[in-house]
Amino acid sequence: MSYNEIIKKQSDFFHSNKTKDIGFRIGQLKKLRSLIKGHETVLSRATWNDFKKSEFDTYTTEFGILYHDIAEAIKKLPEWAKRKSVATNLVNWPARSYIIPEPLGVCLVIGAWNYPYQLSLSPLVAAIAAGNTVILKPSEIASATSAAMAKMINENFPPEFIFAVEGGIPETTALLENKFDKIFFTGSTAVGKIVYQAAAKNLTPVTLELGGKSPAIVTHDCNLKETAKRLVWAKFLNAGQTCIAPDYVLVDETVKDEFLLLLKEFIKKFDYSFANHNYVQIINERTFHRLTALIDEKKIYFGGETDVQNRYISPTVLTHVTFDDKVMEDEIFGPVLPVIAYSTIDDAILKIRSRPKPLACYIFTNDSIIKNKLLSELSFGGGAVNDAVMHISNPNLPFGGVGSSGIGSYHGEAGFAAFSHHKSILEKLFWWEPDLKYPPNTEKKLSWIKWLMGR
Ligand code: NAD
């Protein structure tokens, strides 16, 4: 079947109105949940094959998040999908006003490889909940997971409802030549621009979940030990191949040395290795070489061991880094952590603001004035105070970027909204209406209108 034929079939199925039924949507979400549960072993084997991601990490960062997402959608969908009454203003009285969430239609979901199941299936959950049909294109970079996921989907869902397409740039380019009702993309800012341009041709709405250099700011008065522990976990999870990993740390110069010692202590303690399932491989050799080229040997504070055969880069902390260094140009997306000292918080703010708006920002402080200053003066997608990465796990927090780090958001109700149109309705009643808007237009009517509208 060509892409065009699948889209046509999905469009016909969408217009059969089956997906508009809330019971149907809940049934499909339950089906997806039991499919994932039934395929856990196969899917876990695939993440191990792709980049030695362990069963533990695959559960905590993929299946667990998906089960949570699905449970949340099943529980709250009847409320999210309800028509919502809003007040009617005096000008329109007597009337009712309400908003009807409606599905958009045929959606294209393009996934990234780093959390292959979560980043493909979590948007799928939101799209199903909102009542759409979906063509899913997982990332070809994690080829085993892409194959496992596509097989699971295509063997269990009819193509007119959900269909997985495997492939890379040529397949995605061909897909993007078609008209969709929504495109949901997760990936790099560079490819996000290509997707946005393709969507613009048809005025297709997009959600773009992109990347960026997400800073962590560590002030002198925070709990340094806890901070180091949380940052080490957040940075080296998935070997730093996390869109919201702290990309670099800005630390108050007065506590920099102590902080570096603590980072080293926790990296040693967490004993990152494939053997004990605490670490993953770099996804491919190309990325391995890109990352090793970012490690300036003279600036290694800790780590720096590499092994191309195993695509292994040990957790690496760099010090004496400046904003002009190569490692500070683009998102690192790997286990390399530059630590930069700052002398004043205003200086740190200026440095962060001189770059594109990041996807995340992490503020470690016990000083509420500094916390509020940073929260108000820095623009970023989302983040955490005294923690890192974990904000993604709360479905009540819409997840997405701003500026170069993305457009739109999802998770929980925000995901439902991303795949819905909110249709606004004014419902007039017949029994009475002032005749102010109808000709003849008189002075008296105008003074009434001024009173009604100009207040
Ligand atoms: P990528 O942009 O290379 O690929 C993403 C998807 O786009 C893949 O499915 C790929 O097949 C497709 N693609 C690649 N090149 C294309 C092209 N020229 N035309 C059309 N489609 C193309 O990203 P990636 O390497 O998979 O992921 C890494 C990036 O994604 C990082 O920047 C990371 O921060 C970001 N990311 C963001 C989030 C988020 O939720 N905001 C999550 C994960 C990753």
Side-chain angles (χ1 to χ4, degrees):
M1 241 188 316
S2 70
Y3 297 153
N4 207 1
E5 283 165 338
I6 297 164
I7 293 167
K8 169 81 176 67
K9 266 179 176 285
Q10 291 211 348
S11 179
D12 291 346
F13 182 67
F14 179 73
H15 287 114
S16 74
N17 292 323
K18 282 210 177 79
T19 64
K20 294 204 174 143
D21 181 69
I22 303 297
F24 173 85
R25 299 184 203 178
I26 290 177
Q28 299 306 312
L29 289 171
K30 287 183 176 165
K31 178 173 167 178
L32 179 62
R33 178 169 59 191
S34 58
L35 275 176
I36 301 170
K37 278 197 195 288
H39 285 74
E40 271 187 13
T41 311
V42 176
L43 296 172
S44 277
R45 205 177 300 136
T47 49
W48 180 261
N49 287 342
D50 274 336
F51 56 125
K52 290 209 179 353
K53 182 161 171 159
S54 67
E55 206 181 312
F56 183 94
D57 276 2
T58 303
Y59 193 93
T60 52
T61 66
E62 307 263 20
F63 305 146
I65 291 200
L66 285 165
Y67 296 147
H68 200 50
D69 260 12
I70 296 174
E72 174 89 354
I74 290 173
K75 187 167 138 211
K76 299 197 174 151
L77 179 52
E79 186 55 37
W80 296 342
K82 241 191 208 162
R83 78 167 56 169
K84 300 198 173 51
S85 291
V86 294
T88 300
N89 55 351
L90 205 52
V91 170
N92 286 300
W93 195 86
R96 292 187 198 106
S97 300
Y98 46 88
I99 300 162
I100 307 173
E102 66 171 20
L104 293 167
V106 181
C107 303
L108 173 63
V109 171
I110 303 172
W113 62 264
N114 56 326
Y115 291 91
Y117 302 130
Q118 189 207 132
L119 298 175
S120 289
L121 300 180
S122 195
L124 176 68
V125 168
I128 296 174
N132 299 278
T133 70
V134 177
I135 293 182
L136 174 65
K137 211 296 292 175
S139 171
E140 77 287 6
I141 305 283
S143 55
T145 57
S146 170
M149 199 162 23
K151 188 169 186 299
M152 176 184 83
I153 284 172
N154 291 343
E155 284 180 355
N156 293 285
F157 287 103
E160 64 270 26
F161 176 43
I162 303 171
F163 187 70
V165 172
E166 279 202 85
I169 298 178
E171 291 77 7
T172 319
T173 307
L175 273 170
L176 287 169
E177 275 159 18
N178 296 278
K179 185 179 183 317
F180 289 91
D181 298 299
K182 167 87 191 186
I183 299 176
F184 188 106
F185 171 81
T186 303
S188 59
T189 301
V191 179
K193 289 178 186 172
I194 296 173
V195 171
Y196 202 14
Q197 273 171 356
K201 287 194 196 114
N202 294 306
L203 288 179
T204 302
V206 293
T207 298
L208 301 177
E209 295 282 341
L210 311 176
K213 276 186 101 56
S214 301
I217 303 150
V218 177
T219 69
H220 69 92
D221 66 341
C222 70
N223 181 331
L224 266 193
K225 194 169 178 187
E226 276 305 307
T227 298
K229 181 169 85 177
R230 291 172 196 183
L231 278 173
V232 164
W233 176 82
K235 177 69 186 189
F236 300 111
L237 173 74
N238 224 35
Q241 301 166 114
T242 303
C243 57
I244 46 169
D247 187 274
Y248 62 100
V249 179
L250 284 169
V251 59
D252 187 311
E253 62 186 8
T254 60
V255 291
K256 181 185 168 199
D257 292 343
E258 191 187 343
F259 176 67
L260 283 168
L261 277 173
L262 286 164
L263 285 181
K264 182 160 58 177
E265 187 184 301
F266 281 107
I267 292 171
K268 281 183 175 166
K269 187 171 176 193
F270 293 161
D271 188 16
Y272 289 103
S273 72
F274 309 139
N276 62 14
H277 294 188
N278 286 344
Y279 208 45
V280 304
Q281 288 178 309
I282 302 306
I283 187 66
N284 54 31
E285 238 179 87
R286 196 170 65 96
T287 312
F288 174 89
H289 292 302
R290 178 184 65 76
L291 287 166
T292 50
L294 296 179
I295 302 174
D296 178 344
E297 300 236 322
K298 296 188 295 300
K299 299 196 172 179
I300 296 174
Y301 172 79
F302 185 75
E305 293 94 38
T306 63
D307 166 6
V308 66
Q309 251 172 357
N310 281 312
R311 302 197 313 270
Y312 171 78
I313 299 178
S314 69
T316 300
V317 178
L318 302 180
T319 186
H320 304 299
V321 174
T322 73
F323 273 79
D324 298 324
D325 287 1
K326 196 167 161 37
V327 74
M328 291 304 292
E329 277 170 20
D330 296 314
E331 180 184 0
I332 296 170
F333 212 56
V336 180
L337 182 64
V339 175
I340 303 176
Y342 71 82
S343 51
T344 68
I345 202 69
D346 285 310
D347 202 30
I349 290 173
L350 279 180
K351 286 281 182 347
I352 294 168
R353 278 210 305 233
S354 69
R355 349 195 100 241
K357 294 178 181 183
L359 181 58
C361 179
Y362 306 113
I363 300 164
F364 288 86
T365 188
N366 267 321
D367 183 329
S368 62
I369 294 175
I370 289 194
K371 173 187 74 181
N372 290 328
K373 181 179 170 70
L374 290 166
L375 288 175
S376 100
E377 293 184 20
L378 291 175
S379 178
F380 51 90
V385 174
N386 297 332
D387 206 353
V389 168
M390 289 307 291
H391 63 296
I392 197 172
S393 64
N394 181 352
N396 299 317
L397 291 172
F399 178 80
V402 58
S404 298
S405 56
I407 296 176
S409 58
Y410 74 131
H411 290 181
E413 190 168 10
F416 176 87
F419 284 96
S420 300
H421 164 62
H422 288 95
K423 195 155 68 183
S424 294
I425 303 294
L426 175 76
E427 184 177 319
K428 282 291 247 205
L429 306 174
F430 275 123
W431 58 267
W432 183 76
E433 182 185 34
D435 68 350
L436 294 177
K437 72 182 179 197
Y438 298 108
N441 298 338
T442 64
E443 278 298 317
K444 192 167 173 209
K445 281 184 184 171
L446 186 58
S447 61
W448 268 106
I449 288 167
K450 281 184 177 170
W451 180 80
L452 275 169
M453 300 184 81
R455 288 176 309 142

